[in-house]
Amino acid sequence: MKLLLLTDKRLDVLPALDLLPYSVEVSPRLDGTEAIRDPHVAVVLVDASGHLNQARATCRAIRANGLSAPLIALLREAELAAVAADWSIDDFVLTTAGPAEVAARLTMAVKRRGLEASTGDESITVGDLTIDPHSYTARLRGEPLALTYKEFELLRFLAQQPGRVFSRDQLLRDVWGYDYFGGTRTVDVHVRRLRAKLGPRCERMIGTVRQVGYKFAAPTADTGAAGARSVDEDSWDARLRALVG
């Protein structure tokens, strides 16, 4: 696997690469739009540590120039809060990550890109919600949603397979790309934030299946987003009314 590392500072920004059997080409970050033209590059790594604004601009410019390979930002842990969907990256890797994690993330990124290429990477429109994977933007009734990178990825993943139920472990594996050390609670937190940003009329697009996980519940024409309810929620309410009555 050939990697392209864009960095202006040091070649050891990701020490784990020295322990992996990859071919790594290094170029200045400003030359990124030219360097990505190499068809043999499998993954592009952008050194964002210490230069977040410049790295964000580089990532957006590279993606706008038609990069089809996965684009991954290299970050310090303290910088994670600055990463959002508008970076247009496929994933991020901490500069302190070990060889096993780096190899797993690179492999997953390549596989995800290949799957998108085979199934299509078109915009997803459900009711008033539009998700554009090319620009990493989501709009609700024409207004952009201020989503973080992982919130966008989670929303897109669920919306691509409406009605399918995913366990929290599945979402961690497929959206986060590895066994997240924080546990499944991070999925609940991201779902809660997504619902808050979707608002009361559309929050039920992300349905809860009790004791299982989550699914994307597209609103029906007659009920709209506010009336979209999962089957398990309706049955639960019916049982509750029976007990009360």
Side-chain angles (χ1 to χ4, degrees), residues 165-179:
V165 180
F166 293 94
S167 69
R168 292 167 177 81
D169 288 331
Q170 284 179 299
L171 292 172
L172 278 176
R173 182 175 64 251
D174 293 333
V175 177
W176 276 256
Y178 70 113
D179 292 332

Side-chain angles (χ1 to χ4, degrees), residues 27 45 76 85 92 103 111 114 123 129 131 135 153 155 165 169 184 223 226 241:
S27 292
L45 305 172
R76 299 167 184 163
F92 62 83
K111 287 183 178 179
S123 296
L129 177 66
I131 303 170
S135 61
E153 286 290 292
L155 179 62
V165 180
D169 288 331
T184 56
T223 60
R241 286 194 300 267

Side-chain angles (χ1 to χ4, degrees), residues 235-245:
S235 60
W236 175 264
D237 287 348
R239 290 196 299 269
L240 183 61
R241 286 194 300 267
L243 288 174
V244 174

Side-chain angles (χ1 to χ4, degrees), residues 24 39 49 58 60 62 67 69 124 135 149 162 178 194 220 223 242:
V24 182
S49 59
T58 298
R60 289 170 60 87
I62 289 174
L67 176 69
I124 303 169
S135 61
Y149 173 70
Y178 70 113
L194 263 179
T220 59
T223 60

Side-chain angles (χ1 to χ4, degrees), residues 150-151 154-155 158 168 171 176 184-198 203 205-208 213-215:
K150 282 304 178 186
E151 287 169 356
L154 178 60
L155 179 62
L158 291 171
R168 292 167 177 81
L171 292 172
W176 276 256
T184 56
R185 177 172 170 76
T186 194
V187 176
D188 299 329
V189 171
H190 279 74
V191 166
R192 185 166 64 249
R193 290 174 179 170
L194 263 179
R195 285 173 171 164
K197 292 179 180 181
L198 288 171
E203 62 181 4
M205 281 185 172
I206 302 179
T208 300
Y214 298 102
K215 68 176 181 178

